[in-house]
Amino acid sequence: MTTQILFTMLAPIPAVVAIVSFIRRRESISTSDAFWAGWVAGFFTLWFFYGVWEWLVK
Amino acid sequence: MARKIFLFAIMIVNLLMLDRAAWAQDDYFPPPGIFIPCCSPGGTGGYTGATYGENGQSAWRQVWGAAPGDVVTFRFVLRARSAGSLHAWPQTTGGDGMTYIGDPNNPYEKWYWNTGQRSSGGTFCIDCPWQFTANYWNPWIYVEYWDSGDGWDVDLNIVNIQTPQKSWLALFTDPDKNTAGGLSNAFSAMEGFWMGSGSVLAGSDWKLGAILGAASWVAGKLAGYYDKIHNDPWDGDFCSDSWGSYYGDTSVSWVRDYDPWSGGWFITSIEQMTAAGNMASTAIDRAASAAAMGEIDCGFARRDEAMWALHEMGAWMGYFQWSLQTIADQNPDIDMSAIYGTLWLPDWGKSFLGGLQ
């Protein structure tokens, strides 16, 4: 349980890094980099919200 | 000894004369075989009438019919030379970017002659084109000069006034193209976002994972369509209509069986968006190619088709947005932030397409 909470709490870090890098490079980013920035942001954002959801709502 | 010094001096003088002669012959003006008529019939040109060492302006000509933004091309034509040298620079009272566009390897168009002799050299050509962009109506052009002799005769003859063809195809102008480029990048990122978040969501409900997988797939397609608005690849078939390209992509249509929430509208909207997007891509490329070739009728016809298809794609993007929201609304027991937090993108894409005209 503690490990799950730890992973949930750490998840925003890669998500924020991916979102910030996309925003900073949005004028010149390649299609592939945009995809992977989105993938990392999507995966870890949902991981975080899903963890919080499980923890608080359920 | 004195004899040796004398012979050496003679040799040096000879070498200098030979060098001078060779230098002058290389650039002798006018070059052999080139005839310069005398003189301007009057009115259009300007016998400068200058006396030795005089600065001035001459050969005034008004460019009737030129509007702000028009590109004006004219020729600098030398009609007669004098015993002095001439340094001349074309100018305008109402324009920017005065540029020499002649061929420096063509003896008539070459700009700048220098024989090293005051009577033959200078800054000018015999007959060469110049260009500038008007920023006032009916601007004047003239020659700014420095003349060391008793006057050269120069005409400025207007060749062409061209209105840039950007206004008749608003689709291809900034800032629309920049916005389309931004939307293309945003949909590429959303392709990844829906794929990544769909992987997590599939752990709770694999059908929702399939929905986000389909949304990710169509986001990638949409990124490609917006990129077509941003860039204009060549399509030489620009006088053929693009209705044949209106066909939906059914790659993710199997997801329809796993969507009990939107009444089928989610997949229908994807099929219709790809159909309109395929047609818009074809029509946009053909319209841009027709515009580049000056085929105005074909360009307008393809532009109308592109506009219809883009508006159609925008309308179906509205259904796509609505169906995604409906799917999220009907799953209150699961975290739907991956959908609610991203509805702004189809909303932006829909508004952009609907606003194109």
Side-chain angles (χ1 to χ4, degrees):
Chain A
M1 184 63 184
T2 312
T3 312
Q4 189 185 343
I5 291 172
L6 183 66
F7 275 116
T8 301
M9 290 300 111
L10 290 177
I13 296 173
V16 168
V17 168
I19 290 168
V20 169
S21 349
F22 173 76
I23 291 171
R24 289 179 67 178
R25 295 175 51 208
R26 65 186 181 280
E27 298 293 335
S28 58
I29 197 167
S30 70
T31 303
S32 166
D33 286 352
F35 172 85
W36 285 112
W39 191 92
V40 171
F43 185 86
F44 286 101
T45 301
L46 209 70
W47 185 280
F48 172 72
F49 282 119
Y50 195 76
V52 172
W53 179 275
E54 288 274 308
W55 188 21
L56 296 179
V57 179
K58 287 199 170 180
Chain B
M1 185 64 186
R3 190 179 168 198
K4 283 183 179 174
I5 291 173
F6 176 73
L7 287 173
F8 183 72
I10 292 287
M11 188 182 77
I12 294 292
V13 168
N14 279 338
L15 281 173
L16 285 173
M17 288 177 72
L18 276 172
D19 178 60
R20 178 86 178 188
W23 184 39
Q25 196 150 15
D26 278 348
D27 240 355
Y28 182 76
F29 184 83
I34 288 182
F35 172 69
I36 300 171
C38 181
C39 302
S40 170
T44 60
Y47 184 79
T48 60
T51 54
Y52 177 76
E54 188 165 318
N55 297 317
Q57 298 171 344
S58 74
W60 286 86
R61 191 87 188 260
Q62 190 163 20
V63 188
W64 285 105
D70 287 356
V71 176
V72 177
T73 307
F74 65 92
R75 294 191 81 87
F76 177 107
V77 182
L78 189 67
R79 304 282 300 185
R81 51 178 294 230
S82 82
S85 63
L86 171 70
H87 296 276
W89 302 275
Q91 306 281 347
T92 176
T93 58
D96 294 316
M98 182 66 76
T99 309
Y100 164 78
I101 56 168
D103 174 7
N105 296 317
N106 178 332
Y108 281 93
E109 295 196 353
K110 173 182 174 180
W111 183 262
Y112 192 78
W113 292 90
N114 195 345
T115 63
Q117 296 174 20
R118 186 180 65 82
S119 62
S120 301
T123 312
F124 57 85
C125 68
I126 300 170
D127 186 344
C128 63
W130 283 72
Q131 205 168 63
F132 71 98
T133 303
N135 56 18
Y136 282 96
W137 289 93
N138 308 319
W140 285 87
I141 52 177
Y142 61 97
V143 171
E144 187 98 46
Y145 71 89
W146 180 79
D147 186 342
S148 72
D150 56 358
W152 297 60
D153 191 6
V154 172
D155 278 355
L156 298 178
N157 295 334
I158 294 148
V159 175
N160 188 26
I161 302 169
Q162 188 173 17
T163 303
Q165 293 186 340
K166 61 183 180 185
S167 57
W168 66 270
L169 216 55
L171 183 62
F172 303 109
T173 59
D174 292 331
D176 286 347
K177 284 173 89 75
N178 289 336
T179 308
L183 272 160
S184 176
N185 278 344
F187 270 105
S188 285
M190 198 56 72
E191 179 189 8
F193 192 93
W194 280 333
M195 179 74 77
S197 52
S199 314
V200 178
L201 207 56
S204 298
D205 187 325
W206 65 271
K207 285 193 271 190
L208 285 172
I211 294 285
L212 279 185
S216 164
W217 177 84
V218 81
K221 297 283 286 184
L222 292 169
Y225 298 142
Y226 283 107
D227 189 54
K228 279 290 185 75
I229 301 175
H230 185 220
N231 301 302
D232 305 318
W234 172 258
D235 185 341
D237 200 15
F238 47 74
C239 280
S240 303
D241 72 53
S242 52
W243 294 103
S245 303
Y246 191 92
Y247 56 89
D249 195 321
T250 56
S251 299
V252 292
S253 295
W254 57 272
V255 176
R256 187 190 300 274
D257 296 337
Y258 306 102
D259 168 23
W261 305 292
S262 76
W265 285 100
F266 175 68
I267 289 299
T268 301
S269 67
I270 288 178
E271 290 168 351
Q272 294 298 321
M273 276 194 297
T274 53
N278 284 333
M279 178 174 166
S281 291
T282 306
I284 286 167
D285 294 350
R286 290 179 182 175
S289 305
M293 294 299 289
E295 292 280 352
I296 303 297
D297 291 341
C298 293
F300 269 114
R302 298 297 86 75
R303 177 190 180 280
D304 288 346
E305 291 165 12
M307 282 301 172
W308 180 88
L310 289 167
H311 291 158
E312 186 75 359
M313 188 163 91
W316 283 105
M317 201 171 288
Y319 284 101
F320 175 71
Q321 181 192 7
W322 170 85
S323 59
L324 269 178
Q325 176 150 8
T326 302
I327 290 168
D329 287 345
Q330 295 189 36
N331 285 282
D333 297 334
I334 298 175
D335 173 29
M336 285 283 110
S337 55
I339 290 180
Y340 287 127
T342 53
L343 291 174
W344 59 271
L345 184 56
D347 192 46
W348 179 24
K350 175 187 71 178
S351 305
F352 169 74
L353 294 173
L356 286 174
Q357 53 187 339

